[in-house]
């Protein structure tokens, strides 16, 4: 069984240098093509360098690293070559990206399915209530009640008004934990119950092969803020749990401790792309055989003075305070920034045979997905959407999905002037010829949940697959001149027999992520 791959890049101003510690001399690569091949016993790389240098696996590569790089046992080369003009303020060049990554999936490859869902959102605390409200166009964006924000230019958010941890979290922990952890714990346990894992059934599974991967974009900001205020009085007044309860990983850890799950347990934080990174990495743990079952997703509780104030300082938030339900308006010409939201979304993902063996109900299958980086700017999207295009095309290629089969996209679209259009142009670049494609944004009704957004939107995507209905884009009164209204879902829900759905999330730092879901068959 052999694997082959090729990579190609032109960089007009900068080339790469090998570290002196790795080679006896600093070699300046000419960025010409290189090829790699492997069989069961060997691996070799033969780059074309300015001095004809070549190397083999005996230098520094191990078989395990190769296995991680080439996930599948067979790869059929699918070359994709795109030319992008980079408008970086410090350099201007044309970049050609050529990659080979379309994998042939062997029949024994482990498949990943979704068997449970749990949510905490401004418009629903279970998947059905949440999605029914989305279908009816119910907005959860209101005036902020959590604190006095009368002096703030933004005074609205997608706030969860009545939240209770009763029966889900021990009272002692409920008083101590940051709210992002409480959202995470309740949504995680709800996903387990939804997946049929009651207390009695929990004893029937191998807990050493179950893990938790739930992240947060900003973590326990309330705990940190309160501790800073206490520190102004005296260090002795500080919360002794300040450091662990502010960390994004402790939520996953506490849930694993509560459940006794001993498999891969950690968190990922990639700003607003956090949830998708967590879901895809959880799926990869199952594909790789590290686990049979994972709880994954994201949680966020940013509606506090420092959270709202920080984004106000960025000039990123809508100031449509007089009409909160109309403030979040993706792709509408009157959009003036995003609306903050809070909550959590958690998926129970599972290896197919493991799910079948325990008689689990299967909501959908995760076909795959991908990540990329804009490598352009900390907060602004790439002007030509190069990173987003690369991410979407890699997701299709690695999942062996035809772009014609993707007929629904739950977009990241946050209601910002630049971000909505750049994503729209990337979508039309990749899927522009697909006449069946429908696109919407869940954020039009619940706001932007930052690190939790991707997981909540993944649940909306799965519910669309399950019900055959896609929710409306509310507030799309006057579409931006650069968008085709025929591609976007209107202001009423629409029937759609979904073949493959894509859910995308992008975050500060240029983090891009796309996941492909499909009906299970």
């Amino acid at each position: 069984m052999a694997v082959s791959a090729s990579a190609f890049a032109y960089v007009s101003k900068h080339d790469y240098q090998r570290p002196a510690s790795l080679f006896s001399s600093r070699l300046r690569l000419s960025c010409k093509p290189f090829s790699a091949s492997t069989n069961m016993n060997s691996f070799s790389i033969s780059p074309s360098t300015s001095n004809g240098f070549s190397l083999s696996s005996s230098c520094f590569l191990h078989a395990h690293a190769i296995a991680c790089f080439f996930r599948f046992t067979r790869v059929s080369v699918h070359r994709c070559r795109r030319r992008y003009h980079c408008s970086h303020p410090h350099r201007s060049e044309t970049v050609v990206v050529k990659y080979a990554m379309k994998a042939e999936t062997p029949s024994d490859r482990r498949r990943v399915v979704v068997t449970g869902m749990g949510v905490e959102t401004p418009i629903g605390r279970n998947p059905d209530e949440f999605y029914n409200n989305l279908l009816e166009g119910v907005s959860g964006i209101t005036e902020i009640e959590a604190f006095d924000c009368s002096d703030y230019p933004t005074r609205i958010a997608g706030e969860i008004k009545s939240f209770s941890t009763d029966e889900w979290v021990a009272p002692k922990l409920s008083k101590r934990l940051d709210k992002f952890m409480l959202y995470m714990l309740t949504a995680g346990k709800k996903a387990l119950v939804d997946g049929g894992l009651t207390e009695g059934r929990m004893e029937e599974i191998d807990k050493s092969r179950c893990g938790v991967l739930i992240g947060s974009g900003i973590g326990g900001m309330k705990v940190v803020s309160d501790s800073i205020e206490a520190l102004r009085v005296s260090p002795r007044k500080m919360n002794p749990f300040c450091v662990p309860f502010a960390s994004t990983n402790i939520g996953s850890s506490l849930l694993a401790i509560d459940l006794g799950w001993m498999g891969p347990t950690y968190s990922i934080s990639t700003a607003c792309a956090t949830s998708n990174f967590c879901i895809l990495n959880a799926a990869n743990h199952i594909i790789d055989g590290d686990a049979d079952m994972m709880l994954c997703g994201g949680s966020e509780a940013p509606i506090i003075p420092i959270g709202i104030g920080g984004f106000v300082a960025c000039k990123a938030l809508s100031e449509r305070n007089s009409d909160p339900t109309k403030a979040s308006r993706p792709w509408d010409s009157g959009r003036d920034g995003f609306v903050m939201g809070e909550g959590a979304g958690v998926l129970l993902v599972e290896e197919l045979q493991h799910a079948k063996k325990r008689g689990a109900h299967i909501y959908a299958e995760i076909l795959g997905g991908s990540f990329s980086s804009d490598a352009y700017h900390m907060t602004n999207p790439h002007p030509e959407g190069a990173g987003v295009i690369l991410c979407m095309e890699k997701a299709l290629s690695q999942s062996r999905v035809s772009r014609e089969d993707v007929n629904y996209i739950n977009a990241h679209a946050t209601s910002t002037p630049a971000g909505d259009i750049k994503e729209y142009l990337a979508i039309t670049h990749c899927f522009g010829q697909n006449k069946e494609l429908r696109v919407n944004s869940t954020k039009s009704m619940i706001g932007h949940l930052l690190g939790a957004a991707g997981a909540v939107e993944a649940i909306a995507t799965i519910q669309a697959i399950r019900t055959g209905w896609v929710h409306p884009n509310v507030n799309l009164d006057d579409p931006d001149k650069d968008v085709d209204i025929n591609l976007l879902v209107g202001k009423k829900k629409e029937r759609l027999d979904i073949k493959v759905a894509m859910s995308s999330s992008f975050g500060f730092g240029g983090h891009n992520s796309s996941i492909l879901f499909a009906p299970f068959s």
Side-chain angles (χ1 to χ4, degrees):
M1 293 181 287
V3 178
S4 64
S6 65
F8 200 98
Y10 291 127
V11 183
S12 64
K13 290 188 177 180
H14 303 286
D15 52 10
Y16 295 96
Q17 292 183 333
R18 299 289 186 182
S21 60
L22 189 60
F23 305 112
S24 58
S25 62
R26 295 178 70 88
L27 296 173
R28 190 171 284 274
L29 298 184
S30 63
C31 293
K32 295 179 181 177
F34 71 85
S35 63
S37 63
T38 185
N39 54 38
M40 294 300 290
N41 301 311
S42 65
F43 178 85
S44 64
I45 299 177
S46 300
S48 298
T49 61
S50 56
N51 63 354
F53 182 80
S54 64
L55 50 105
S56 69
S57 62
S58 59
C59 297
F60 59 95
L61 294 173
H62 299 286
H64 178 70
I66 304 310
C68 292
F69 183 73
F70 296 106
R71 180 176 302 282
F72 308 106
T73 55
R74 293 189 299 158
V75 172
S76 104
V77 174
H78 173 74
R79 293 182 175 84
C80 180
R81 179 170 175 160
R82 298 289 180 194
R83 185 177 296 271
Y84 305 118
H85 180 74
C86 177
S87 302
H88 193 283
H90 301 302
R91 63 181 187 268
S92 180
E93 61 216 33
T94 297
V95 179
V96 176
V97 179
K98 183 180 179 182
Y99 55 90
M101 51 184 60
K102 190 168 185 178
E104 289 183 13
T105 307
S107 59
D108 61 347
R109 183 199 170 199
R110 290 162 63 89
R111 295 168 66 184
V112 182
V113 293
V114 178
T115 56
M117 301 181 288
V119 293
E120 295 288 350
T121 76
I123 59 171
R125 300 194 60 202
N126 66 67
D128 288 341
E129 179 190 16
F130 163 62
Y131 199 65
N132 287 338
N133 280 328
L134 285 178
L135 291 177
E136 296 306 314
V138 175
S139 175
I141 298 170
T142 59
E143 293 184 359
I144 295 172
E145 298 177 2
F147 65 96
D148 180 9
C149 56
S150 55
D151 293 334
Y152 289 61
T154 292
R155 300 184 293 278
I156 56 175
E159 187 178 41
I160 296 177
K161 299 299 185 184
S162 57
F163 172 70
S164 172
T165 60
D166 292 350
E167 301 180 7
W168 300 108
V169 183
K172 191 174 182 180
L173 273 180
S174 292
K175 294 176 181 178
R176 290 178 172 177
L177 296 181
D178 190 279
K179 194 176 282 186
F180 95 92
M181 289 188 182
L182 297 177
Y183 290 155
M184 183 187 300
L185 292 173
T186 56
K189 290 185 177 182
K190 288 178 180 180
L192 286 177
V193 173
D194 186 57
L197 285 173
T198 57
E199 189 173 345
R201 297 295 302 274
M202 190 76 76
E203 300 305 316
E204 300 173 7
I205 63 175
D206 182 355
K207 295 182 180 180
S208 70
R209 296 189 55 77
C210 301
V212 184
L213 180 41
I214 308 173
S216 176
I218 56 181
M221 291 183 70
K222 180 69 162 57
V223 168
V224 172
S225 180
D226 290 347
S227 296
I228 290 172
E229 292 303 313
L231 183 60
R232 296 181 190 278
V233 178
S234 168
R236 297 180 184 277
K237 296 292 185 180
M238 286 187 66
N239 182 349
F241 299 102
C242 169
V243 173
F245 286 175
S247 303
T248 61
N249 69 298
I250 298 299
S252 290
S253 177
L254 289 175
L255 186 52
I257 291 169
D258 196 3
L259 301 175
W261 284 17
M262 301 174 67
T265 297
Y266 58 103
S267 69
I268 295 173
S269 184
T270 48
C272 305
T274 290
S275 288
N276 277 9
F277 274 70
C278 290
I279 294 169
L280 280 177
N281 277 280
N284 286 339
H285 280 302
I286 292 173
I287 292 170
D288 290 343
D290 298 332
D292 295 325
M293 184 183 295
M294 296 283 294
L295 284 169
C296 55
S299 181
E300 210 78 89
I303 304 176
I304 58 175
I306 193 172
I308 298 294
F311 281 98
V312 163
C314 292
K315 302 186 183 303
L317 299 182
S318 170
E319 298 180 7
R320 195 186 288 258
N321 300 302
S322 60
D323 198 358
T325 63
K326 300 292 186 182
S328 185
R329 40 199 320 113
W331 299 297
D332 187 82
S333 60
R335 65 192 184 280
D336 67 331
F338 75 84
V339 177
M340 191 84 80
E342 65 176 349
V346 177
L347 301 180
L348 177 64
V349 297
E350 196 167 349
E351 192 274 325
L352 175 59
Q353 297 307 318
H354 187 274
K356 284 184 173 181
K357 185 176 180 180
R358 69 178 188 87
H361 174 73
I362 296 173
Y363 287 111
E365 181 171 4
I366 299 177
L367 301 182
S370 189
F371 315 116
S372 74
S373 171
D374 277 357
Y376 172 73
H377 190 272
M378 185 171 65
T379 57
N380 294 335
H382 190 285
E384 292 162 13
V388 174
I389 291 170
L390 177 63
C391 181
M392 292 179 175
E393 293 195 340
K394 284 172 61 182
L396 293 170
S397 181
Q398 292 176 344
S399 305
R400 295 184 60 77
V401 171
S402 165
R403 65 192 69 233
E404 290 75 26
D405 285 337
V406 178
N407 62 339
Y408 171 56
I409 294 179
N410 188 296
H412 181 66
T414 62
S415 187
T416 58
D420 289 10
I421 292 301
K422 299 307 178 187
E423 181 183 10
Y424 173 84
L425 294 175
I427 289 172
T428 55
H429 178 97
C430 295
F431 302 97
Q433 303 305 312
N434 188 348
K435 301 299 183 182
E436 297 181 5
L437 182 64
R438 308 300 287 150
V439 182
N440 63 9
S441 172
T442 303
K443 294 180 181 72
S444 62
M445 286 171 273
I446 62 173
H448 189 1
L449 275 61
L450 307 182
V456 171
E457 290 158 15
I459 290 172
T461 302
I462 294 165
Q463 288 286 68
I465 291 172
R466 188 181 70 82
T467 64
W469 288 96
V470 292
H471 70 70
N473 285 306
V474 302
N475 303 325
L476 190 58
D477 300 325
D478 182 20
D480 192 288
K481 62 180 177 59
D482 293 321
V483 305
D484 179 3
I485 188 62
N486 294 316
L487 188 68
L488 304 178
V489 179
K491 293 195 286 184
K492 298 285 187 180
K493 63 183 179 182
E494 297 181 10
R495 269 284 181 191
L496 186 63
D497 181 15
I498 297 175
K499 294 182 285 186
V500 178
M502 174 179 282
S503 179
S504 295
S505 291
F506 317 116
F508 278 1
H511 305 294
N512 305 310
S513 60
S514 294
I515 305 179
L516 294 168
F517 297 95
F520 170 71
S521 62

